[in-house]
Amino acid sequence: MTEAFSRTSFIEERAPLLINGRHYRFPVRPVVVICFDGCDPEYIAAATKAGVVPNLARMMSEGFSDIALAAMPTFTNPNNVAIACGAPPAVTGVAGNYYLDRATGREVMVLDGHQMLVDTIFAHFAEGGADVAVVTAKDKLLGALGRNMGGIALSAESPEGAVAVLGDRAPAAVIDKYSEALSLYVLDTGIGLLEAGRGTILYLSLSDYVQHKYAPEAPEALTFMAAVDQRLGRLAERGATIGIVADHGMTDMSEPDGTARIIYVQDELEARFGAGSVRVICPITDPFVRHHASLGGFVRVYIKDPSLSPQAVQAALARTAGIAVALPADEACARFELPVEGEGDVVVVGAPGVALGATRGEHDLSALAGQRLRSHGGLSEQAVPFILSRPLNAEYAARAQAGLRNYDIFDFAINGVTP
């Protein structure tokens, strides 16, 4: 019997924890949840058809597989935090990678957990005595996911942490952050933790480098899916319950000739209402500019001209081809479960296959390095895989019929699978 199983057998007798409105029992075996960043269901479909993911196919046939909806906006930070807390952005307080601080007028890139209103599932379990580990591809997530957590928090961008915990079991450091190697490092670190008997609960958050760069049927995407699948097999060998979900899907936002299909929302509005009338914030913005050039399917409009109303901005955008949704803040928060604090005056969502930006001068398309723009953020990228390596019990099978959100995954993986 491994140390991990000994530890979980001991903590199984403890009372369930109430975390952000849900009760979670202590696991009877290690639970590994993987946030497969950018894994649109089409990647799984293409890899399954190509026969390169036998372990994943086995999980889907012997366990549970469905489609869930990601939180809006469909960006990395809000969805990873939602998954980690088991709750939507209205509860967590995190609704983007980048925001405008109304109090100071500063634009802030989110690189820590300062926006969070609640603690994660990991923090609560660590306080309760569980052996918890979080491994991310990107440093930008670690501050939030490791917030107030007493367990192990590691990032592929800072490999010295894994060396300190795992010693010779630690994977080799990744040199290029623009590489599928970041995701494989995360999975290899998770395997190392299980093999070392560490981790009652593990959260492994991958990178969407491959999905931004390659379509599902591309040979490079299939090779990556096969490499991930090999690691899923090794995790399964350790007896863990594995849950797989994504933070968002991925959409091609380019013309047939490869030109990016973009609406520069601030340019459009300033042409209509005057220079300086609004400020548009692109909450997809993060340090990984080569993934998306800060272009996605969701932006926020902050009105600077006091004579301009949200209704006027909404009406102007409603007449703009390529805009799917334009809503005043109160309607957007109600529809998309967003936190009211700090929300823009108008929330804008692009039509399928259309990217939204601020001004033409702010987005360096050369960052795409000649690749087609593939991005996310809107309603088109809400559908994500929801997979468990074990079947659901009767109660949770019934609940799944009513619809799933990606932030249900820990509840289902811990409470909802058969023994």
Side-chain angles (χ1 to χ4, degrees):
M1 180 178 291
T2 68
E3 180 183 343
F5 277 97
S6 299
R7 185 187 301 269
T8 53
S9 297
F10 170 74
I11 64 176
E12 181 187 2
E13 299 177 2
R14 300 188 184 180
L17 299 178
L18 177 60
I19 305 172
N20 303 327
R22 304 190 198 214
H23 285 94
Y24 296 85
R25 69 184 186 186
F26 278 81
V28 297
R29 64 178 63 84
V31 170
V32 179
V33 168
I34 299 167
C35 179
F36 202 154
D37 195 346
C39 187
D40 192 281
E42 291 187 8
Y43 285 91
I44 291 177
T48 301
K49 182 178 179 180
V52 298
V53 287
N55 294 302
L56 181 58
R58 188 179 310 110
M59 285 177 55
M60 294 170 68
S61 64
E62 297 179 359
F64 174 79
S65 176
D66 205 341
I67 300 296
L69 292 180
M72 285 289 288
T74 48
F75 295 137
T76 297
N77 283 29
N79 274 277
N80 267 272
V81 172
I83 293 165
C85 295
V91 174
T92 69
V94 178
N97 307 342
Y98 191 82
Y99 70 97
L100 177 68
D101 185 332
R102 286 185 183 271
T104 65
R106 292 190 309 114
E107 297 180 17
V108 182
M109 189 177 294
V110 180
L111 299 173
D112 55 30
H114 74 273
Q115 284 186 299
M116 293 176 64
L117 302 177
V118 296
D119 282 335
T120 64
I121 294 165
F122 324 132
H124 285 276
F125 267 103
E127 185 178 9
D131 194 10
V132 178
V134 172
V135 188
T136 68
K138 305 168 185 176
D139 280 346
K140 72 170 188 173
L141 282 174
L142 206 56
L145 298 181
R147 177 179 183 263
N148 294 336
M149 191 188 88
I152 297 168
L154 305 172
S155 165
E157 290 190 88
S158 301
E160 62 277 5
V163 173
V165 174
L166 293 174
D168 292 342
R169 293 178 185 266
V174 178
I175 304 302
D176 183 6
K177 71 177 184 178
Y178 291 107
S179 165
E180 66 277 6
L182 281 181
S183 293
L184 301 182
Y185 178 97
V186 172
L187 294 169
D188 287 338
T189 301
I191 293 166
L193 289 168
L194 283 187
E195 290 178 344
R198 300 301 306 271
T200 302
I201 296 174
L202 278 72
Y203 183 60
L204 309 179
S205 180
L206 311 188
S207 163
D208 56 1
Y209 165 82
V210 168
Q211 292 82 3
H212 273 291
K213 192 168 184 179
Y214 302 111
E217 299 82 8
E220 295 87 349
L222 295 176
T223 298
F224 173 66
M225 292 296 292
V228 170
D229 188 75
Q230 292 171 4
R231 289 155 173 85
L232 292 179
R234 292 182 62 189
L235 288 169
E237 288 171 358
R238 303 301 304 173
T241 296
I242 302 170
I244 300 173
V245 76
D247 50 353
H248 54 77
M250 192 70 66
T251 298
D252 190 305
M253 297 181 177
S254 300
E255 303 288 356
D257 66 359
T259 304
R261 189 183 299 117
I262 308 166
I263 297 173
Y264 295 102
V265 178
Q266 184 167 321
D267 286 344
E268 294 281 339
L269 291 173
E270 288 189 327
R272 172 69 175 82
F273 298 111
S277 56
V278 300
R279 178 61 178 135
V280 169
I281 294 294
C282 302
I284 193 174
T285 304
D286 69 8
F288 286 72
V289 292
R290 274 172 51 190
H291 283 184
H292 44 63
S294 298
L295 294 161
F298 182 108
V299 299
R300 294 183 161 101
V301 180
Y302 294 82
I303 296 174
K304 299 173 67 177
D305 181 350
S307 68
L308 184 58
S309 70
Q311 290 73 27
V313 170
Q314 179 187 22
L317 292 172
R319 297 191 296 269
T320 303
I323 300 294
V325 176
L327 294 173
D330 56 345
E331 294 182 34
C333 290
R335 176 172 174 179
F336 298 135
E337 297 182 287
L338 299 171
V340 174
E341 183 70 25
E343 185 52 79
D345 296 298
V346 178
V347 165
V348 189
V349 181
V354 176
L356 304 179
T359 69
R360 188 177 297 272
E362 290 181 57
H363 299 275
D364 180 10
L365 299 187
S366 68
L368 299 174
Q371 297 292 320
R372 296 177 68 86
L373 175 60
R374 297 175 53 79
S375 196
H376 51 92
L379 294 165
S380 301
E381 296 79 45
Q382 263 200 296
V384 295
F386 190 103
I387 300 168
L388 294 160
S389 61
R390 298 178 189 275
L392 296 181
N393 59 40
E395 176 190 349
Y396 276 75
R399 286 176 52 180
Q401 294 297 313
L404 295 165
R405 304 304 300 271
N406 62 351
Y407 50 79
D408 294 331
I409 189 69
F410 272 103
D411 183 12
F412 276 65
I414 292 173
N415 301 318
V417 298
T418 56

